[in-house]
Amino acid sequence: MIGFEVIKLLALSLLSVFLYSIYVKGFRFLTQTERTLGLESHKKKNGTITMGGIIFLVLPLFFIPYSKTTLMIILATLGFGILGMIDDLLIVILKKNDGLSPLVKLIIEVILASVIFYFYLKEENSTILSVFGFKFNLKWFFGLLILWLLTASSNAWNLMDGVDGLCSGCSLIFGIGLMIIAFRKNEFEILYLLMAFHIVLFVFWCFNFPKAFLFMGDVGALGLGAFYAITSIYLDSLFAFVIMASLFIFETVSVILQVSYYKRTHGKRLFKMAPFHHHLEACGYKEFSIDLIFYLIQIGLVILAVAIF
């Protein structure tokens, strides 16, 4: 049985390489349009194939075991992924890096999170939050936690996706932390789900780093953020999630600080650009160097979270 599962994962990896190779050659019409006010070095990325996240969100679905838990994780992931796909398609069609307005996107994300919480309760899942051995039954407040976590996580992953290989590479390291947690908790269905997703994500990363042949797009970034958030909920590992997601949180906070400071000072900037990885680019750091710095920090955060929890 174990041998059969290994063969399935091997087949998944080979199929991933084949499909991404086909995608890069056959979907040149799905191109990214960079922001006109963005970094000058990013202007040359206009025309790069986007929406590569579709493959690492969809392909694993044909290779994973299905249960109430894995089905809920998949539905949440696909829900946010579809929202991202709509955003990507608007950018591709209109040839402008605008897509859905932030308000419309936020409203849809809140609706999606509410629907997910409804089905979470319907399946009589636990609403108990574990904090260092102490347990708190949040009941309906657990819904607010899910709403905040899914919305914040999907947007944080989206903000991190701004340098070739940055979001995908940090996500791979993040996923290893969740796999270790799932193994420790004997959640083998979730472990296999994580393995399947990360095999395809690793293949995508190979096409995305160090120089991107294609981008994951909002479909990939929003989907990944929701995937990690909902998986952490089912693994009852929210505090480990917060530690491992600290880089993504920092990126989000850098944007919030930049906008707030800009408004308060009537045009002055706290950073040269936000999120923070763009500030580093504006300071002269190469994308490859930024990736390595973030990867090392992400590895440290995963080690810390696994050691504590």
Side-chain angles (χ1 to χ4, degrees):
M1 184 66 180
I2 294 177
F4 178 69
E5 298 302 330
V6 171
I7 291 173
K8 283 175 62 178
L9 292 177
L10 179 60
L12 175 61
S13 62
L14 294 174
L15 186 56
S16 302
V17 173
F18 174 75
L19 289 179
Y20 271 118
S21 300
I22 296 297
Y23 191 89
V24 168
K25 293 181 180 179
F27 289 82
R28 298 184 183 278
F29 58 92
L30 295 175
T31 56
Q32 175 73 13
T33 302
E34 293 294 322
R35 294 186 184 278
T36 54
L37 298 177
L39 288 161
E40 194 62 34
S41 60
H42 281 229
K43 301 292 176 64
K44 61 186 179 183
K45 297 184 180 184
N46 269 322
T48 303
I49 301 169
T50 189
M51 296 176 66
I54 290 176
I55 294 178
F56 65 67
L57 291 187
V58 175
L59 183 58
L61 304 184
F62 299 95
F63 291 84
I64 59 174
Y66 282 91
S67 65
K68 289 181 179 180
T69 298
T70 56
L71 185 59
M72 278 297 299
I73 292 172
I74 290 163
L75 290 176
T77 302
L78 291 181
F80 279 80
I82 291 170
L83 172 61
M85 184 174 67
I86 294 170
D87 200 36
D88 286 331
L89 286 173
L90 286 175
I91 293 172
V92 170
I93 293 169
L94 299 177
K95 300 296 182 183
K96 291 172 61 180
N97 199 315
D98 292 329
L100 295 169
S101 72
L103 179 59
V104 170
K105 192 182 293 185
L106 179 62
I107 291 172
I108 297 174
E109 287 170 349
V110 170
I111 293 172
L112 284 172
S114 301
V115 171
I116 291 164
F117 179 57
Y118 169 77
F119 284 106
Y120 182 88
L121 280 185
K122 191 174 181 181
E123 296 296 332
E124 299 182 351
N125 289 301
S126 173
T127 56
I128 295 175
L129 178 66
S130 300
V131 184
F132 297 109
F134 298 96
K135 297 184 181 295
F136 304 92
N137 193 345
L138 300 183
K139 298 183 180 178
W140 278 98
F141 286 103
F142 200 85
L144 296 177
L145 180 64
I146 289 180
L147 190 151
W148 171 79
L149 197 66
L150 285 171
T151 303
S153 180
S154 59
N155 284 291
W157 256 258
N158 201 23
L159 289 172
M160 181 73 93
D161 185 30
V163 170
D164 294 355
L166 184 61
C167 184
S168 54
C170 287
S171 296
L172 285 168
I173 299 166
F174 190 103
I176 291 171
L178 282 182
M179 287 183 217
I180 294 171
I181 293 171
F183 179 78
R184 284 180 175 177
K185 296 194 172 192
N186 296 321
E187 294 284 357
F188 294 114
E189 285 184 338
I190 295 179
L191 174 61
Y192 192 90
L193 173 67
L194 286 164
M195 290 172 64
F197 265 87
H198 286 86
I199 283 173
V200 189
L201 181 61
F202 174 75
V203 174
F204 168 82
W205 176 76
C206 293
F207 282 85
N208 189 238
F209 176 81
K211 186 181 184 304
F213 288 98
L214 76 164
F215 299 143
M216 68 171 66
D218 283 6
V219 59
L222 293 181
L224 274 181
F227 174 70
Y228 291 124
I230 194 68
T231 302
S232 298
I233 290 170
Y234 275 98
L235 286 175
D236 190 23
S237 57
L238 294 184
F239 278 86
F241 171 85
V242 171
I243 292 174
M244 292 192 296
S246 294
L247 260 181
F248 295 86
I249 295 170
F250 173 73
E251 288 278 271
T252 305
V253 171
S254 72
V255 174
I256 295 171
L257 289 175
Q258 178 85 323
V259 173
S260 301
Y261 189 79
Y262 185 87
K263 290 181 178 179
R264 179 163 295 216
T265 59
H266 304 289
K268 293 183 180 179
R269 298 176 185 274
L270 187 62
F271 306 108
K272 289 186 177 181
M273 284 195 73
F276 187 73
H277 62 258
H278 285 325
H279 170 76
L280 293 178
E281 280 189 280
C283 289
Y285 284 81
K286 300 296 184 183
E287 291 191 16
F288 184 81
S289 299
I290 295 170
D291 284 332
L292 292 184
I293 292 169
F294 275 60
Y295 291 170
L296 288 173
I297 296 172
Q298 188 65 57
I299 289 170
L301 291 170
V302 167
I303 292 173
L304 176 63
V306 170
I308 294 176
F309 298 97

